[in-house]
Amino acid sequence: MAKIGDIDVGEFPLLLAPMEDVSDPPFRALCKEQGADVVYTEFISSEGLIRDAAKSVMKLDIYEKERPVGIQIFGANLESMLESVEIVEKSGPDIIDINFGCPVKKVVSKGAGAGILKDIDLMVSLTEAMVKHTKLPITVKTRLGWDHDSIKILEVAERLQDVGCKAISIHGRTRAQMYKGEADWRPIAEVKDNPRMHIPVFGNGDVDTPERAVEMRDEYGLDGAMIGRASIGNPWFFREVKHYFKTGEHLAPPTLQERVEAARRHLQMSIDWKGEKLGVFETRRHYTNYFKGIPHFKEYRMKMVTSDDAADVFKAFDEVERDFAGYEFV
Ligand SMILES: Cc1cc2nc3c(=O)[nH]c(=O)nc-3n(C[C@H](O)[C@H](O)[C@H](O)COP(=O)(O)O)c2cc1C
């Protein structure tokens, strides 16, 4: 059984990765329903939070039904990070996660995200200060290192654990790799194999089939899998992996009815959460995957992604339901 602080997250939990503009409350709720054991918000700027920037503050919203949920924050300034911990606490998350892995230039150039991988002492002291500042469990998400020549993840993980970090999720790429190449899970397994490590070590990067999740569990011996891109427009990925764990067999893909229903609920929850305009706009990115495989779908997809009017999008869902009834996905 893996535990994050006092939170029991089950045996080999599946975690929904933090993803900017994707891991919002509606999407997290859908993933939770389909078997995600822990969900994370997208990264939230500590500077934005303390400035009370509406966009950052809105990202703190959580639904009761998605627990346990971690709110992820990023920053490199101690004062701002501590102040934002206090703001985050008011939203009542179960976990606070620190982003030490974002490779994007505008984040890294300020020494935040993966930028901190160049200053391990700061990474450790920031984590320690945050641990001391809250009763909530602090977890860290990071990468293997800054670049291939500076991979120190073994030392980093141990030091983070020693200052009270309650779990670590490691993306098996360096900052220099961005998203290129293949994630290397071997250094993550070395972290797990370190006899001094006792906190959960979650693997991340390229878990895109149930077989890969089994590999991460059985061959690499990690404590859980954090899943990102494979879940976009496919919240069913979690149940597929769990079914495969249990039976060794692949679950049939979701039916058309399930897909239409998920699209409807996703859109409705998004509208309820952020209003019609933003709700309609930001849910668009999921439709291609929801309905992937349906032939001659362009006309329907265009209706879903071009109208600003929610009623038109719901009407397009109805048409898909009617015109493709009984369509068998492979
Ligand atoms: C669209 C997108 C947004 C992301 N945003 C975040 C983020 O806010 N915080 C974070 O720690 N990682 C972020 N990531 C990285 C993912 O959490 C994850 O580490 C990466 O996608 C590798 O896992 P995967 O192969 O399962 O997708 C993002 C990735 C994607 C594709």
Side-chain angles (χ1 to χ4, degrees):
M1 283 290 172
K3 276 184 119 182
I4 301 177
D6 292 333
I7 308 165
D8 202 333
V9 289
E11 204 167 313
F12 201 79
L14 304 179
L15 302 91
L16 171 66
M19 285 184 283
E20 185 177 20
D21 292 339
V22 177
S23 309
D24 59 6
F27 184 62
R28 298 196 305 262
L30 289 172
C31 291
K32 172 79 185 183
E33 282 170 22
Q34 297 301 332
D37 296 289
V38 182
V39 297
Y40 284 96
T41 67
E42 66 181 282
F43 70 164
I44 308 176
S45 158
S46 54
E47 304 295 341
L49 284 177
I50 62 175
R51 271 201 328 268
D52 200 26
K55 217 173 156 205
S56 298
V57 173
M58 189 177 173
K59 293 175 185 168
L60 294 173
D61 284 355
I62 51 183
Y63 297 140
E64 275 310 305
K65 60 186 170 192
E66 53 174 303
R67 290 185 187 283
V69 54
I71 290 183
Q72 189 189 63
I73 55 176
F74 73 98
N77 178 280
L78 178 64
E79 297 291 305
S80 310
M81 288 296 266
L82 292 183
E83 208 177 310
S84 58
V85 163
E86 292 166 21
I87 298 168
V88 166
E89 275 178 334
K90 291 189 188 125
S91 300
D94 303 283
I95 299 161
I96 298 180
D97 187 73
I98 320 175
N99 178 316
F100 287 146
C102 178
V104 176
K105 218 175 193 167
K106 72 171 196 270
V107 172
V108 167
S109 62
K110 297 196 178 96
I116 209 156
L117 286 163
K118 282 179 158 177
D119 188 348
I120 306 295
D121 287 342
L122 178 63
M123 183 179 186
V124 173
S125 62
L126 212 60
T127 305
E128 180 171 24
M130 289 174 68
V131 167
K132 286 184 173 152
H133 205 66
T134 179
K135 288 198 171 64
L136 290 173
I138 294 284
T139 60
V140 162
K141 177 164 180 278
T142 189
R143 289 184 173 234
L144 298 179
W146 178 256
D147 58 19
H148 185 72
D149 300 324
S150 62
I151 294 181
K152 299 194 190 98
I153 192 65
L154 221 66
E155 173 201 332
V156 168
E158 218 180 287
R159 289 181 64 187
L160 291 174
Q161 170 182 273
D162 289 349
V163 297
C165 171
K166 294 293 189 289
I168 182 165
S169 302
I170 305 170
H171 179 184
R173 288 186 175 86
T174 62
R175 190 275 167 173
Q177 280 177 291
M178 305 294 281
Y179 287 92
K180 291 192 289 284
E182 241 181 63
D184 184 0
W185 298 347
R186 286 168 305 179
I188 315 176
E190 282 172 33
V191 171
K192 175 64 196 163
D193 287 343
N194 175 354
R196 280 210 65 238
M197 288 301 286
H198 53 79
I199 59 171
V201 178
F202 302 127
N204 172 240
D206 302 348
V207 178
D208 52 7
T209 60
E211 285 87 344
R212 290 287 276 160
V214 167
E215 194 183 337
M216 186 174 263
R217 184 187 66 179
D218 297 346
E219 286 174 37
Y220 290 81
L222 303 184
D223 292 310
M226 179 177 266
I227 292 159
R229 289 166 293 180
S231 69
I232 300 180
N234 186 16
W236 303 280
F237 187 66
F238 293 97
R239 82 171 181 196
E240 284 169 17
V241 172
K242 291 218 158 151
H243 181 83
Y244 192 76
F245 280 172
K246 224 190 263 171
T247 65
E249 283 171 15
H250 285 275
L251 193 64
T255 61
L256 180 82
Q257 191 61 42
E258 281 179 300
R259 292 167 196 257
V260 171
E261 212 40 59
R264 279 188 187 123
R265 291 190 51 231
H266 197 155
L267 178 57
Q268 190 57 56
M269 283 192 280
S270 297
I271 291 170
D272 294 344
W273 181 54
K274 42 193 157 187
E276 178 164 349
K277 191 161 177 255
L278 263 184
V280 166
F281 182 73
E282 289 191 0
T283 315
R284 285 178 184 163
R285 77 186 68 231
H286 293 268
Y287 301 142
T288 303
N289 275 3
Y290 277 152
F291 299 111
K292 203 175 188 165
I294 300 182
H296 312 299
F297 194 70
K298 194 168 170 204
E299 174 201 332
Y300 299 86
R301 198 177 69 82
M302 288 311 283
K303 284 185 192 167
M304 292 174 195
V305 303
T306 52
S307 176
D308 294 331
D309 188 342
D312 291 339
V313 185
F314 281 118
K315 200 162 144 242
F317 296 156
D318 293 344
E319 287 169 8
V320 170
E321 190 174 33
R322 183 194 63 209
D323 296 350
F324 297 98
Y327 179 79
E328 301 233 356
F329 289 84
V330 281

